[in-house]
Amino acid sequence: MTGTEKQIKTVVIGYGLAGAVFHAPLIQADPAYELAGIVTANPERAAAASATYPEVRILPSVDALLAAGEFELAVVAAPTPQHVEIASRLLAAGLATVVDKPLAVRSADAEALIELASARGVALTVFQNRRWDGDFLTVRKLVESGALGQIRRFESRFEWLSARPRPEWKKGTAGRDGGGVGYDLGSHLIDQAIQLFGPVAPAVYGELDSHAAVVNDDDTFIALTHESGVRSHLSMSSLVAQRGFRFRVLGSDAAYTKWGLDPQEAQLASGMSPLDPTFGVEEPSAHGKIGRDGSLTAVPTEHGGYREFYARLALALRGAGPLPVDPRDAVAPIRIIEGLHDRTS
């Protein structure tokens, strides 16, 4: 940012995991933005936000945000079922808007938001931050370089056994309404698969299982066949006692297998600044391996880059580049998850 460019006055709506761990720190770290407001009606979260960002205005509601009339960019980090209602109000008011994934629960609602943004001439994008996971960037580099040969199957897992209590809205929201791991994690994994291998053929197989959860899926598997011929097998679960590999990419010449999650979420949750030079850097012990059994070579993991999302967004808002994520990209994953719920309900 040059000295003549004014900071983009930004407000974050919601101060749960998405708002507190991802959006607020990333915005605060980017000199193109002024983190000027945080919206939360929860007294404990309001106190935590005020303690962490004492110069930031804490607002109790979206009504108060709109009445203030002082913001240029709003970030929707509220629970998934509220995304459409809040984003619609922001776009109608002329505010550039970031919506945390998934953009919506219904594909028709996602398309309506995109149409509204276009009609109002307002920027709308979706926080698909895992396009900038270091391990995903590594997979993309290997696929595009041809190091694996012709890709036959892409296997991607995001699973854990969490002792952290689930938010109340997730406990009480049906899977088909956005409460399960299908929408929570599938929106990332499907997006990554499509980014790598292109559009998906209509036939999609899925298993939306509920084991510990009462009203939504907590152990889900989705199989895609891309028009390119590649098959993607995507697993997401909050119940595994032992995690499987994060990625396994099988090609005609070699395979790549990677264990462990990208470190950026854990680094942000620990309080590490996104400006720290080690932010997004993975330990060599976690590097994936390429080759065939008996002849494997470690592949250094690419530097993760969550900061890239807001850096690209700043350029787009100033007319100097495209949006970091085209909101139209969000529709296909939503349609896939929505369709699976419709068929299994």
Side-chain angles (χ1 to χ4, degrees):
M1 186 179 74
T2 68
T4 59
E5 290 175 324
K6 186 171 69 73
Q7 287 184 303
I8 300 164
K9 204 163 188 178
T10 304
V11 57
V12 174
I13 302 167
Y15 201 68
L17 174 65
V21 172
F22 289 98
H23 294 285
L26 291 169
I27 293 164
Q28 180 78 350
D30 193 317
Y33 300 89
E34 176 193 356
L35 179 60
I38 294 172
V39 175
T40 178
N42 182 301
E44 292 181 1
R45 291 180 178 177
S50 185
T52 305
Y53 305 104
E55 304 302 319
V56 173
R57 184 176 179 185
I58 310 300
L59 299 158
S61 65
V62 175
D63 287 339
L65 178 166
L66 295 174
E70 61 185 82
F71 302 105
E72 300 164 82
L73 172 68
V75 178
V76 181
T80 297
Q82 300 175 21
H83 285 185
V84 171
E85 178 187 359
I86 294 173
S88 296
R89 297 185 66 191
L90 299 172
L91 294 169
L95 274 172
T97 301
V98 174
V99 181
D100 205 290
K101 59 77 207 168
L103 175 59
V105 176
R106 305 280 181 262
S107 56
D109 289 337
E111 290 171 334
L113 285 177
I114 294 167
E115 291 175 7
L116 175 59
S118 177
R120 296 302 300 260
V122 179
L124 169 66
T125 188
V126 186
F127 190 62
Q128 296 286 172
N129 60 299
R130 295 200 176 273
R131 292 187 182 185
W132 290 276
D133 278 358
D135 47 19
F136 174 71
L137 294 173
T138 306
V139 170
R140 168 167 261 173
K141 184 176 180 180
L142 292 172
V143 169
E144 292 177 350
S145 72
L148 303 174
Q150 182 179 357
I151 306 301
R152 292 169 175 166
R153 187 163 78 239
F154 172 64
E155 300 177 8
S156 175
R157 296 171 179 267
F158 204 114
E159 51 190 24
W160 74 99
L161 181 62
S162 177
R164 183 174 59 196
R166 302 180 79 219
E168 287 300 322
W169 75 265
K170 285 189 178 180
K171 288 182 181 179
T173 302
R176 62 178 291 109
D177 294 328
V181 296
Y183 276 107
D184 188 22
L185 301 177
S187 54
H188 279 312
L189 301 191
I190 297 170
D191 178 74
Q192 288 182 331
I194 292 174
Q195 286 294 300
L196 289 172
F197 305 114
V200 174
V204 173
Y205 172 78
E207 300 167 3
L208 305 173
D209 294 331
S210 299
H211 297 302
V214 176
V215 299
N216 54 49
D217 55 304
D218 50 28
D219 187 12
T220 290
F221 172 77
I222 299 173
L224 311 174
T225 300
H226 299 267
E227 293 175 4
S228 62
V230 176
R231 294 188 188 275
S232 289
H233 290 179
L234 313 176
S235 301
M236 56 225 75
S237 177
S238 60
L239 293 173
V240 296
Q242 293 187 26
R243 291 176 175 175
F245 51 77
R246 174 65 184 89
F247 288 114
R248 188 169 74 145
V249 190
L250 304 177
S252 58
D253 297 337
Y256 170 77
T257 304
K258 172 71 175 65
W259 295 75
L261 298 178
D262 176 272
Q264 291 172 96
E265 178 177 351
Q267 289 171 336
L268 288 168
S270 74
M272 177 185 284
S273 168
L275 299 175
D276 190 304
T278 64
F279 179 68
V281 176
E282 189 170 68
E283 294 293 329
S285 60
H287 291 170
K289 291 182 170 60
I290 189 172
R292 295 169 177 262
D293 285 339
S295 180
L296 300 178
T297 303
V299 179
T301 302
E302 294 291 302
H303 196 150
Y306 287 175
R307 290 180 60 197
E308 189 72 12
F309 177 89
Y310 278 106
R312 294 188 185 192
L313 178 58
L315 291 174
L317 294 177
R318 291 170 174 151
L323 291 167
V325 175
D326 186 329
R328 290 170 294 187
D329 290 352
V331 178
I334 293 169
R335 184 174 289 121
I336 288 168
I337 301 166
E338 176 184 30
L340 289 174
H341 277 290
D342 287 345
R343 291 199 293 274
T344 57
S345 61

